Amino acid sequence: MASSDVQSDENLYPIAVLIDELRNEDVQLRLNSIKKLSTIALALGVERTRSELIPFLTDTIYDEDEVLLALAEQLGTFTQLVGGDSYVHVLLPPLESLAQVEETIVRDKAVESLRTLAPQHSTTDLETFFVPTVKRLAQGDWFTSRTSASGLISVCYARVSNHVKGELRQLFKNLCQDDTPMVRRAAASKLGEFAKVVEPEHLRQELVPLFNNLANDEQDSVRLLAIEAGIAMAGLFRHEDLEQQMMQTLRAATEDKSWRVRYVVADKLVELQKAVGQEITKNDLVTAYCSLLKDPEAEVRAAAASKLKDFSNNLPTDTREQIIMSQILPCVKDLVGDMNQHVKSALASVIMGLAPILGKDNTLEHLLPLFLNQLKDDFPEVRLNIISNLDCINEVIGVRQLSQSLLPAIVELASDAKWRVRLGIIEYMPLLAGQLGSEFFDEKLSSLCMSWLTDHVFAIREAATNNLKKLVEKFGRDWAQNTVIPKVIQLARDQNYLYRMTCLFAINVLAEPCGQDVTQRMMLPTVITLGSDAVANVRFNVAKTLQRIYPAIDQNTLASHVKPCLEKLCQDSDHDVQYFANEALGKELAEFLDPQGRLDLKSLALQTLISLTASKEGRHLILASPNTDSNTSLLSRVCRLIFEDVQESVRFDALLFLINLTSDSELSILNCKQTSILSDFWLKLLKRCVQDRQYEHADAGCKLLSNITSRAITVDQLNDFTEYLDKSYPSWFDDLIQAFSTIDYNLKKNNLDYLSAMLVNLTQLKIIRERLRNQEHLKRLLCFTDNTHSTIRRGSVACILKNCCFDHESHEQLVHQIGNNDDFICALLLPLSVATADELTEEENDQVPIDLQYLPSNKQIEPDRDIQLILLETVLLLCATKSVREYLRSKQIYYILRQYHRQPNLDFACNRTCERIIQILIGDEDYNVETDNLMELNIPHDLREKFHEIDRKEEEANKTEE
């Protein structure tokens, strides 16, 4: 019974939490609760969501608008959470309530969700559940529900029976004739959408009268929406039926008393033109368009003017020119002199489009005077719009016809007080240059382009430099040498540091189109000189410029001029200068790292890179630089050198660079594509180290492998790495153990000690620890705790043994099955043992493991205190298992530890760990403890804190004594 009650409480928990949060006074908490509805529904399951959650939401819809908005949005995505399409109808009640609230955005979101759910209903469910919902909304007392119903009728109409369709049409008719303007407005906005799903006969008989009524409504907000719907409906009729059905109403709209209605007609005129066809366009719309161009309201004239080009293009081909010349062009001429600048600006943006339509003669006679007039207009936007569309007239008559009028307009725009106007004219200079030719440009506009380089607005100066690049691409390098570059270089001597920086920005963009010779001969000396500028901003931009232009500089020049400059900037007193110089130097040096490149340049580049890795900032800078291109990135080039370069010193320096780079535990090269943990580079390096006995840099390779498997790698990455090795190189682990455990395996005198450090990192994974134990690999490592081997090898093997002891279930296997008899425990204790021949009695000697008996007087203890502590901690881990404790007691390990403990000047941590082991071994077993593994013992929190406090006090006391 109690279990059933607990289960019931758990089932009620999610809905109870939701209820509490929805009743909270904090609006944000209620909003967050609504946004978590899907999570709560998943916790409840589909059945309880339908039976409990949805009814609860339906009954409690009263809150702040933003909460209701979030709820309406969430419910639209709930189909699968209530059991799929078969149960989608259960979502209708809460959405129906939301569709009736006063706030418009909540109603609109609820309608949007209902429209999303409608297609998910089956035909039966649509008539059984969805249509009744629409009916209730359409017949609601409040206008809010009726406005919502307007948007739902069209989404269900096509899939219901004829009888229901008739009811829906009647509902829509009632909405269109509603007493409330807001409802009529909503119905008018959906009239065009509804017309597309209604049968043709009902379209003519029922919807056209509704359109006519709405288009003549007393409210202009209703009329303008009706006109939009009417334009959409016009495309549904044959052209011959349109005149009878709708054209009278649409014609009247062009003369509506409300300017907003006329504006909609003007804005949608091209769409209407395409819908009604060429005959009605010729007979009706041309007159209507001319009327709109002459409208008393400027907004209407501007909207009509903006459609000039498109409307003209869609006129009947056979009469297009005649209609434009006789009816439209007179109106256009009047608009050129319009008092409103927005009207003239709209006209200027499209009037050029008439030139290709009317041809050369008409353009010269009729349009050219208009263009010239607009080029002299008082408003800069008008002049700018004409200039921005010069390509249209250039195709017909050539821009030189306008050159004499263009020049004053361009000069005036170039000095306009509004910087955005100046920016606009700059963008069209390349177009003008291509059309006017270099001679005219040099004579009239070249000085203007150079003056923009010293504008007081940075955006103008930046656009001016990009403009120069485009001009050089058009006119060529010779033109750049004679006209542009001397003036750019002159800026380097300007008193204003901003203009000196502009010189650098210009060189940035000009280097590529000007080519190597011009860049090195004319521009590079200026950049190098600015490297000694007094202003730090200029100096760090020198570094950025050198980085930008290095593809246009040969390797000799890079080595002799660029590299010394960057090295000098790397020592700059300003940190920003140092940063950008280091960044540029790293990218520049990558260019030298080609296996087929010159040896002296490669060596010099690698030595510089190695010096960068000496500091944390340098390492961070190298890894922060973009490495997207797998062929040209710095890291990929260095990796290639390790395997492909013919020079041994280059291969070693490349390895040393990566070793330094990976020595920082806070940075990781594994995040770079070319050196990710699944890169072939690491596989190739491991194979070289463990398979190639002649590999001269095996120790460096092993150190690099040790670094990349250390703290900078995640356990997931390490797991991916081992899986990748298992798949691509199945014998990798056996080969690694074989290479490491074979003395003098490498014939080039590499000792491979760092393979053990790599193994330590790999033993973070349980699967690796299991391989060591189960394949008898661990047995081959036990001998390396002896102090005849290097500190790295001894310490790493000690760590491997310790890591293997973290698996409690393997303790008995380690003690009894690894090696013969007592090999494992002897490997741990022999380095800690002092002479036992004289210190222990004969009886005591006979009781300890045989390898620890009668050790000579010259027996040396492990000299490294850290290794001593690791070995002691490993024994302490073994003591966690009851059977192993009994084994250690039977082997009188206490005698060995007692002798170790008697040493003078014993390290505090080693002393404390040794005492703990002794206390466990000489203490009595507590047979009331139910677990065999002391590591699983549950120690109360207060006692744990107490023990930690005792440890802290002991450490502080030890420091005081020292």
Side-chain angles (χ1 to χ4, degrees), residues 707-912:
N707 282 356
I708 66 110
T709 55
S710 64
R711 287 175 295 172
I713 191 173
T714 66
V715 174
D716 288 339
Q717 286 177 317
L718 204 57
N719 194 53
D720 291 341
F721 182 47
T722 56
E723 288 179 358
Y724 172 68
L725 291 178
D726 287 341
K727 180 180 179 181
S728 305
Y729 178 17
S731 64
W732 73 274
F733 195 72
D734 296 335
D735 291 351
L736 188 153
I737 298 294
Q738 173 70 24
F740 173 72
S741 60
T742 304
I743 302 300
D744 296 331
Y745 177 82
N746 184 279
L747 302 179
K748 294 291 185 179
K749 306 302 181 183
N750 288 269
N751 54 40
L752 307 185
D753 284 346
Y754 279 98
L755 277 182
S756 59
M758 178 185 177
L759 264 176
V760 173
N761 301 329
L762 293 176
T763 54
Q764 295 178 67
L765 302 178
K766 189 177 182 72
I767 187 174
I768 299 298
R769 300 195 294 269
E770 289 174 351
R771 286 185 194 178
L772 280 170
R773 293 192 300 264
N774 298 336
Q775 298 178 18
E776 296 195 355
H777 291 316
L778 195 60
K779 175 183 175 181
R780 304 183 67 172
L781 305 182
L782 297 179
C783 62
F784 296 117
T785 59
D786 186 86
N787 62 13
T788 57
H789 300 286
S790 69
T791 303
I792 295 170
R793 186 172 285 241
R794 298 196 315 273
S796 297
V797 170
C799 288
I800 292 169
L801 301 183
K802 179 182 175 182
N803 286 352
C804 288
C805 289
F806 279 107
D807 300 321
H808 156 71
E809 66 277 5
S810 70
H811 283 181
E812 291 191 11
Q813 179 189 5
L814 290 171
V815 170
H816 299 299
Q817 298 177 23
I818 301 297
N820 299 317
N821 299 323
D822 308 314
D823 286 357
F824 190 82
I825 196 65
C826 287
L828 298 175
L829 293 177
L830 187 60
L832 303 175
S833 300
V834 295
T836 55
D838 300 330
E839 300 295 332
L840 298 182
T841 66
E842 185 174 345
E843 180 182 357
E844 289 173 337
N845 264 307
D846 289 341
Q847 290 177 331
V848 298
I850 192 167
D851 287 347
L852 304 178
Q853 295 177 8
Y854 301 101
L855 297 176
S857 57
N858 62 351
K859 167 69 172 70
Q860 295 295 316
I861 196 170
E862 166 60 53
D864 190 286
R865 292 186 175 184
D866 290 333
I867 297 178
Q868 290 181 33
L869 181 60
I870 293 169
L871 294 170
L872 287 167
E873 288 173 342
T874 306
V875 177
L876 185 60
L877 284 171
L878 288 172
C879 289
T881 302
K882 183 177 179 181
S883 61
V884 176
R885 292 196 299 275
E886 294 172 348
Y887 161 77
L888 294 176
R889 291 189 185 107
S890 71
K891 295 296 181 179
Q892 298 300 329
I893 300 305
Y894 161 72
Y895 295 143
I896 304 297
L897 295 173
R898 182 187 65 187
Q899 295 303 113
Y900 170 80
H901 190 259
R902 288 175 177 173
Q903 292 182 95
N905 300 321
L906 190 62
D907 180 75
F908 172 74
C910 294
N911 181 67
R912 186 170 62 182

Side-chain angles (χ1 to χ4, degrees), residues 393-407:
I393 194 169
N394 186 53
E395 297 171 2
V396 181
I397 62 171
V399 79
R400 281 187 174 274
Q401 297 279 354
L402 285 172
S403 58
Q404 296 305 316
S405 298
L406 271 175
L407 194 57

Side-chain angles (χ1 to χ4, degrees), residues 329 332-333 336 351 366-375:
L329 194 57
V332 171
K333 290 179 179 179
V336 168
I351 192 172
H366 299 284
L367 293 182
L368 187 57
L370 301 181
F371 300 155
L372 296 175
N373 194 3
Q374 289 182 305
L375 280 172

